[in-house]
Amino acid sequence: DFYTEDRTAAVSSAQTLIIAQNALSAKFETCKAGRGHTRQPLVCDTTDREDELAYANLQLHQFANLTEVVDFGPLLGINAPSGAWTMQKQRNAKGGTAWRRVNQWGACKGCADVVAVSYDMVKVIDADGNVVQPWYDEFVKYMGDVPLVTWSGWKDAAARDKAAEIQDGYVKAVQAGEAPKMMPVEVC
């Protein structure tokens, strides 16, 4: 039922979308180590063996199960057995402020070397929460009056533990081939 007098249908639809979603994590390493994912990093400096934050392999986790990594190619319906999504720090980028996002595909497992999409990214806030100029001001100007929502963590440890318990139930149900039990509306 898509329509109800209260918020039941909306919450049910939202829960369905949430549990069916995949999660992404970033595994950072040196640019040279990135060759194991894409054979040839395109942007970062492969001669720099010290910078362990120069290259990030974006890892896909089906149903947000962070204990398993799934290859992008087959899961996204692309006719390629291998896919890699990466972030590579651009050479000479002061303080790691400029990055290139690259999606690559390959015809054999572990050889994602054909570039499908790439674009530039900039850091607008550093690890300490300080704005990075001029990128922050440009971002705010670009976004204009669009409201932005950020999520910065759980209200407390009990809320985090309850969410983990619910997520574990979703994952176990899906892995068992069952329909996940939806959370009651009043919990939301």
Side-chain angles (χ1 to χ4, degrees), residues 12 15-21 63 165-184:
S12 178
Q15 288 177 335
T16 300
L17 290 172
I18 290 168
I19 64 168
Q21 294 301 309
F63 303 114
E165 176 186 322
I166 291 167
Q167 179 66 24
D168 287 346
Y170 290 158
V171 170
K172 286 176 185 172
V174 170
Q175 288 175 338
E178 303 167 359
K181 180 181 176 194
M182 294 299 170
M183 186 171 52

Side-chain angles (χ1 to χ4, degrees), residues 55-110:
Y55 180 97
N57 177 37
L58 300 179
Q59 299 177 321
L60 181 65
H61 309 281
Q62 195 170 20
F63 303 114
N65 179 358
L66 299 179
T67 63
E68 295 180 20
V69 177
V70 179
D71 196 297
F72 283 95
L75 188 64
L76 296 178
I78 306 294
N79 191 17
S82 182
W85 291 5
T86 65
M87 291 189 320
Q88 301 173 35
K89 185 164 67 172
Q90 295 186 15
R91 290 181 176 100
N92 304 321
K94 183 180 176 188
T97 59
W99 293 77
R100 170 67 56 107
R101 261 283 291 114
V102 183
N103 292 359
Q104 294 173 248
W105 306 105
C108 59
K109 188 138 182 80

